[in-house]
Amino acid sequence: MTFTALHRALGVATGPLTDDLLDAAVSSGVVETNDLDWKSELPPAKGLPQTDFPKDVAAMANSGGGVIVFGVRESQKAATDRVDVGEFDEAYERSLRSAAITAISPPIFGLNVHRLGTEGTRAVVVEVPASVDGPHLIYRNDYFGAPVRNDSDTVWMKERQIEAMYRARFDERRHATEALDSLYGEAAAGRDSDKRAWLVAVAHPRVPRLHERLTRDGARDVLTKAEGLALFYAGRGGVHPLENVDRHNPRPGLRRWVAVNTATDDRSLWREAWASLHHDGSVTLAAAVGGHRSSSDGYFGGSQIQSAAVECGVADLMALIRATAAATGNDEYDVRVGIEWVGSESLSILTVDNFGHSYGGVSTPLHRYTPVETTVNSAEADLDFYWHVHDLAQDCVNQGGVSNVLMIQPPARDESA
């Protein structure tokens, strides 16, 4: 489900981009605007980065996002009729996405490419997301410029426009940091981190999409899907926070749904966990990771953390991001994962030895765990996202002296076919 310039021009509600929608736009003679560009033919696949395609994409991103429609002829900026763009296969689509990354700086991720129509009226719609990383620059030999839309035309920014956009980018980064700080502070508040270490993980969409609020059923569906994804990413070799929250009965909170802890009795309290889904697409997760029960029926110390618990926490957070983003129409997320501990002993992250027993011989004692931050695109290909889960988990355990993750093992990219 999406809302584009085509939907707005025709006065229709949020919905999929369809061939009928494009036919209606052409029949109505919809006029090009800042966020709508008609093109009669696709750029050549060979040498795509040297065509006007990167410039057109950068201009849209610098102007707040929009759609480029290939397969529509226009006259005086108004759509007149459909034109067949020919064969458009998966390799061509990958080339378009690659050009938006390699020929534009900073790169533009998250292009949505839609194939519409049948032979004779085949069209391709490229949906360019809004970006907070502007200005996006195009380099040609020794020269560079920042394109931007001016109504239906693409022009080059002047120096003051570029300066203003850089200032906006820095302001946005500051606001994003403040948003993460607020989410992290809320999620960490009230935890007994003087007795046991807590994993606190939060994510905030870089450009929140203001869609309708998730209903309780919608939140329940997101939590259920996230649980399944998390088990796919990390398996059952550790304790998953999402298996210890009430996924079936999320409770309302301040502009959010809260999945409350279900590990409440004396025998299960060591697995305590909390999760929340915010109406703007943000997600939070807090889980006790110190003091877990050991295989010998005893308990680890509050400062001792099994690397499997960290991996499961990261897998659950990333699964929440993926499922929530799909339900709320978000894509890029700023992510922060930390471990809160204020006890007197140093933190230690334990791995396992060759016999499967917990082992701390390679651990680096930590007086303070530095939160790990990254940016992920929730709309990217499944395998690419899976590797982001792996890389984030590896960063988290590396800090404690553990070299490799044990449970999150995505296939090699060349095996994806």
Side-chain angles (χ1 to χ4, degrees):
M1 304 291 281
T2 187
F3 185 81
T4 68
L6 291 176
H7 294 81
R8 189 194 65 249
L10 294 171
V12 299
T14 297
L17 269 173
T18 64
D19 199 46
D20 289 341
L21 192 71
L22 184 55
D23 276 340
V26 173
S27 298
S28 302
V30 169
V31 176
E32 291 179 319
T33 58
N34 265 17
D35 56 357
L36 174 62
D37 191 9
W38 300 125
K39 302 282 186 184
S40 59
E41 57 187 31
L42 284 163
K46 187 175 182 180
L48 190 61
Q50 281 71 52
T51 68
D52 280 343
F53 179 73
K55 182 181 77 170
D56 294 333
V57 171
M60 279 290 182
N62 285 335
S63 306
V67 290
I68 305 171
V69 183
F70 297 95
V72 173
R73 188 179 287 117
E74 54 87 14
S75 176
Q76 300 297 311
K77 305 178 184 179
T80 56
D81 58 289
R82 300 277 296 268
V83 183
D84 191 291
V85 297
E87 288 291 334
F88 183 80
D89 57 16
E90 210 169 297
Y92 204 139
E93 182 175 333
R94 283 198 299 269
S95 296
L96 293 182
R97 296 183 192 279
S98 176
I101 294 170
T102 60
I104 301 173
S105 182
I108 296 173
F109 297 95
L111 292 187
N112 286 323
V113 181
H114 309 267
R115 310 178 204 189
L116 305 179
T118 56
E119 189 168 353
T121 59
R122 288 170 293 190
V124 173
V125 181
V126 177
E127 193 178 350
V128 182
S131 173
V132 295
D133 290 326
H136 293 276
L137 308 178
I138 301 298
Y139 287 84
R140 293 285 168 82
N141 300 319
D142 295 330
Y143 300 94
F144 69 87
V148 67
R149 296 284 291 178
N150 179 22
D151 192 26
S152 62
D153 299 319
T154 295
V155 298
W156 298 99
M157 289 186 191
K158 305 299 183 185
E159 181 185 9
R160 287 190 178 278
Q161 291 174 289
I162 294 175
E163 177 188 357
M165 191 161 277
Y166 271 119
R167 187 181 301 116
R169 183 203 290 188
F170 300 145
D171 287 345
E172 186 61 39
R173 293 309 301 158
R174 187 179 71 252
H175 295 326
T177 299
E178 291 170 355
L180 278 185
D181 287 344
S182 177
L183 287 171
Y184 191 92
E186 282 186 13
R191 311 303 172 196
D192 57 351
S193 50
D194 58 329
K195 298 176 182 175
R196 53 182 175 168
W198 280 76
L199 182 136
V200 178
V202 301
H204 178 71
R206 302 194 73 194
V207 185
R209 307 285 192 258
L210 300 179
H211 288 263
E212 293 182 2
R213 293 183 172 189
L214 279 177
T215 62
R216 189 190 301 272
D217 285 342
R220 184 184 298 120
D221 186 53
V222 166
L223 289 163
T224 300
K225 288 179 178 177
E227 182 202 11
L229 271 176
L231 290 173
F232 172 74
Y233 293 146
R236 291 191 176 277
V239 178
H240 283 273
L242 286 179
E243 292 191 306
N244 294 290
V245 299
D246 190 351
R247 302 179 303 281
H248 306 295
N249 186 36
R251 301 180 187 178
L254 177 60
R255 299 172 186 162
R256 73 195 71 177
W257 292 100
V258 180
V260 301
N261 171 56
T262 56
T264 55
D265 59 51
D266 291 341
R267 291 179 58 83
S268 64
L269 190 59
W270 59 274
R271 300 195 306 261
E272 184 178 356
W274 300 78
S276 67
L277 312 175
H278 294 237
H279 296 323
D280 67 356
S282 299
V283 299
T284 71
L285 188 70
V289 289
H292 275 195
R293 193 166 63 192
S294 70
S295 56
S296 61
D297 242 5
Y299 290 86
F300 292 104
S303 63
Q304 294 178 304
I305 305 164
Q306 293 172 290
S307 61
V310 176
E311 290 187 46
C312 287
V314 170
D316 287 18
L317 172 76
M318 294 290 276
L320 276 175
I321 292 171
R322 188 81 158 171
T324 302
T328 58
N330 285 292
D331 40 48
E332 283 194 299
Y333 274 75
D334 291 319
V335 180
R336 180 183 296 170
V337 179
I339 294 176
E340 295 297 304
W341 167 248
V342 295
S344 58
E345 298 178 346
S346 298
L347 277 174
S348 59
I349 297 179
L350 311 178
T351 185
V352 294
D353 60 21
N354 294 331
F355 301 101
H357 301 302
S358 294
Y359 175 66
V362 298
S363 299
T364 302
L366 296 171
H367 298 289
R368 180 179 180 275
Y369 188 92
T370 302
V372 178
E373 297 189 359
T374 189
T375 299
V376 298
N377 180 10
S378 65
E380 66 188 350
D382 291 342
L383 184 58
D384 292 333
F385 192 82
Y386 196 172
W387 271 103
H388 270 125
V389 180
H390 171 277
D391 293 345
L392 178 57
Q394 184 157 294
D395 285 343
C396 290
V397 299
N398 280 172
Q399 189 173 162
V402 177
S403 298
N404 299 304
V405 295
L406 302 174
M407 301 163 55
I408 302 172
Q409 297 295 331
R413 287 186 170 88
D414 58 5
E415 296 174 9
S416 58

